[in-house]
Structure formats: structure tokens, C-alpha cells
Amino acid sequence: MGLDEYMALCLGDRQDGYYPQAGRLGPRGDFITSPEISQMFGELLGLWLALWWQSSGSPAPLPVVELGPGNGVMMADMRRAARAVPAFAEALVPLFYETSPALRAEQRKHHPDAQFIDRLVDAPKAPVAFVGNEFLDALPVQQFTFHDGRWLQRLVGHEDGVLRPVIDPHGPDAAALLADRVPDTPPKEGDILEVAIAAEGVIAEVAAHIKSHGGVALFIDYGSAAAKDYGSSLQAIAAHQRVDPFADPGNADVTAHVPFARLATVAERAGVKVAPVLTQGAFLMRMGLGARAQALTEASPADASKLGRVVHRLTAPDEMGELFKVIALVPSAMPLPPVFQDVANERKGA
Ligand code: SAH
């Protein structure tokens, strides 16, 4: 099977897949995400959305579609922060896009009023805000290996009961499919190209919705903002440790880095405006993470060192601050959303 099919089964299989099994996310699970690290993360996203809403004609109701909401904590923190702008809190209607039944149940606990959509095209035909943290990295990727002057799809095969990536030397050449993805440096034998086939599809759908109906999208994830390069970014995590993605399918979180530059191109081709990709550290600090942590510290001095650690973890370059990026989409006729507009202005002035 293709690597993309393998990834989809590992993560999504109803019986044995990773996300359908309960208790995978969070400190006691396999990995911990920003909303699970601190409530400040979701709160700042809620404030960002409120600012965007106020500057975009205050559409009401405003469906907020969260893609891959995990335990549902980010939406809870967003909604709490949204109360700073009561009319926005009133307008916000949470909609969840989630495949795992176990996680849907978890999300319902935090949000008894939650509604779910099975397909993105089922989002209301009106301005919608799409948000997702560590969602795109969980979507299947395809890989291709350069062999004998041809691009061959990487498949998952098995030998003596051990799974491993293989190629079919007689398989079709994918050169045409990869035409505009090959970097300027010509490939060498054995070079790998990765295609975030499913993430590109999601971005194209979200962009099409925003183009037709208005709204905004904000995705946060780990990955590169540089133009595409060769290499595989496939990885797997279990119990907070890196493991072999082929060793124990269904029991590890198998993901890939998100190719932000490529996703920006996909969104632009679908007819929306893409804000400059920011690092998570820059985005959160500009949204006032430092000041928020300071205020919480003053209210509760005993938590000072814990809050300091949290800010460091979310923003420091050697932690999540630079590897994690933020991408935002708006309709082409609208100004860039809050924070991104300031950065664009500064870059223009610089
Ligand atoms: N956003 C959460 C969870 C990230 S884990 C957080 O930051 O903590 C990835 C999430 O995406 C899980 O909720 C998983 O079940 C969901 N997911 C993965 N693939 C999906 C798909 N194809 N469609 C919908 N949801 C998916």
C-alpha cells in the first residue's frame, strides 16, 4: 500500500487506529500539545478571533469550525477568552470536524452544545472561521523515491513480518505529478520527495469556502516555511519518545512536517489571500503572551516559575517557538488579519 494509505490506517482505523483509541493525548498519553500545555494558548487564539471578527463586519452567527479538536480544550479556552467581547461570544457557534469517536465523546464533555460535521463542505454557507492546531501534521502524505531517473511512489511492504518502505522498480513514473514540486537542484539517486496530499486537499477546501462565503482560517503546526526540499519528515511518537513509524502500527502517532510554503501556494491558487507565515513564538508574543503570563503571575505569585516555563516552552526557538508556524487565510479583498497585518507593514517598511 502507499505510505498515505498506511498513515491513514495507522491513525484512523476504527478498530485499531491510533486516534480512535481513548487517552492518547495529554501528559499521560503519548504527546502533549500547546492547548494542553497552557490555557493561555487557546485564550490568545480566542482573542485573536475576536479581533478579526470586530474588524470584519462582525458576522453573526459565526460558526467556528475546529479541525482535529483533540480533547476539546482549545475551544473551551477560546470561548472563555471570547467573553471579553460579549457580542462575539454570543455569535460564536462551535463546530467540530473530528473522525475519532473516542475524541468526539471527549469534546462533547467540554461542549455539551457541540455539533459535528463529517465533511468540510458541510460547513454553513456563510462566513466561517476555521482553526486547527496540530491537525495538518496528522494527515496522510505520499512519498516518492528517485530511482534510475524516474520518480517511484514509496510503498509500505513487509519482509519476514517486518514492515518497511519499499519501491516497485517497475511502478509508474510520477514525474508529471511532481513536475512543479522538484527543487531547483536536480535529484540524485535515492532522493525522496514528500507530498502532503491530504493537507493540500484540506487547505484547498477551506480556501474555496473562504473565497465563496468569506471568513478566515488559522492553522498552527510544526513544519518548514521554506520552499520544498528533498527528504522525508515522517516521524512517530509513542509515550513521549520517538519510535520507528513502521514498528507498531496503530500504537504510535505517525505524522509528517507541514510544508507551509506549498500550502500557501495551494491556497493562493484557490483564490484567497495568504498572510505571511509567522513562527508560533512571534505570533503568541505579539498576541500578548508575555503580558498575560505577567498578569497571571501577579495574581498568583506562587505560579511564577511554572508560568515562566510555559512561556519558554511555547515560544523559545529551541522549544516550540520556531519549529511551529502559523498560517492564516482571508478572502482576497479583505485586509490581512490582526498581527499578520502588523508584520506585513513592518516588513514593507523595513
Ligand atoms: N488539536 C488538538 C489535537 C491534535 S491531534 C490539540 O492541539 O491538542 C490531531 C487531531 O486531529 C485529533 O483530534 C485527531 O483525531 C484528528 N484527526 C486526525 N485525522 C483526522 C481527519 N482525517 N479528519 C478529522 N480529524 C482528524
Side-chain angles (χ1 to χ4, degrees):
M1 67 175 81
L3 187 61
D4 51 339
E5 205 185 327
Y6 174 75
M7 230 175 131
L9 282 172
C10 283
L11 294 179
D13 184 78
R14 283 294 154 111
Q15 185 68 44
D16 301 316
Y18 180 78
Y19 290 117
Q21 302 175 44
R24 288 304 201 171
L25 315 181
R28 284 178 305 280
D30 293 299
F31 62 102
I32 182 157
T33 56
S34 299
E36 307 264 352
I37 289 172
S38 170
Q39 66 181 68
M40 293 188 289
F41 183 81
E43 288 170 354
L44 293 175
L45 292 195
L47 286 177
W48 180 84
L49 261 193
L51 291 172
W52 166 81
W53 184 77
Q54 286 179 314
S55 67
S56 310
S58 308
L62 177 73
V64 176
V65 174
E66 183 175 356
L67 297 89
N71 291 329
V73 282
M74 185 171 103
M75 182 67 87
D77 296 335
M78 287 173 62
R79 294 177 86 177
R80 189 171 52 258
R83 290 193 213 130
V85 181
F88 174 62
E90 184 90 359
L92 191 165
V93 178
L95 281 179
F96 294 119
Y97 179 65
E98 171 63 66
T99 37
S100 156
L103 288 174
R104 279 192 180 205
E106 201 58 42
Q107 292 151 19
R108 243 184 236 112
K109 273 192 220 161
H110 287 276
H111 308 272
D113 59 343
Q115 296 183 45
F116 293 86
I117 52 172
D118 291 326
R119 302 174 313 167
L120 289 172
V121 291
D122 296 334
K125 309 253 172 304
V128 165
F130 297 90
V131 294
N133 182 62
E134 290 208 37
F135 167 73
L136 297 171
D137 66 72
L139 301 181
V141 300
Q142 293 181 336
Q143 291 183 349
F144 300 85
T145 301
F146 194 66
H147 174 66
D148 261 354
R150 305 186 318 134
W151 283 107
L152 302 175
Q153 189 178 355
R154 277 187 113 191
L155 310 168
V156 180
H158 61 93
E159 214 173 32
D160 303 329
V162 179
L163 297 179
R164 59 183 190 87
V166 293
I167 47 169
D168 171 5
H170 308 293
D173 185 1
L177 175 77
L178 300 174
D180 69 339
R181 298 166 189 269
V182 180
D184 292 339
T185 355
K188 302 181 303 298
E189 174 73 22
D191 273 345
I192 290 172
L193 272 184
E194 191 169 87
V195 176
I197 187 88
E200 289 188 13
V202 164
I203 291 295
E205 272 192 84
V206 164
H209 193 283
I210 292 174
K211 180 183 158 74
S212 304
H213 306 290
V216 68
L218 185 87
F219 289 99
I220 303 147
D221 224 306
Y222 46 91
S224 165
K228 192 71 186 130
D229 207 350
Y230 298 110
S232 163
S233 75
L234 194 75
Q235 63 175 52
I237 304 275
H240 303 273
Q241 302 292 325
R242 289 208 174 223
V243 295
D244 173 358
F246 302 102
D248 194 4
N251 289 316
D253 186 38
V254 181
T255 63
H257 282 215
V258 173
F260 283 94
R262 179 75 197 183
L263 296 187
T265 305
V266 167
E268 274 160 7
R269 286 184 188 161
V272 298
K273 188 186 280 185
V274 182
V277 173
L278 297 182
T279 64
Q280 171 168 300
F283 177 78
L284 292 177
M285 288 318 262
R286 280 173 185 267
M287 276 305 301
L289 179 67
R292 179 89 184 107
Q294 186 62 38
L296 289 176
T297 300
E298 276 158 25
S300 170
D303 290 336
S305 69
K306 184 173 161 258
L307 285 161
R309 278 200 304 278
V310 160
V311 171
H312 184 81
R313 186 137 179 218
L314 293 175
T315 63
D318 59 341
E319 296 264 359
M320 301 172 84
E322 281 191 356
L323 176 60
F324 281 71
K325 313 279 188 313
V326 192
I327 190 169
L329 319 178
V330 287
S332 54
M334 295 298 277
L336 289 175
V339 171
F340 296 91
Q341 182 67 61
D342 300 339
V343 173
N345 289 345
E346 285 165 26
R347 287 188 188 167
K348 231 185 277 165

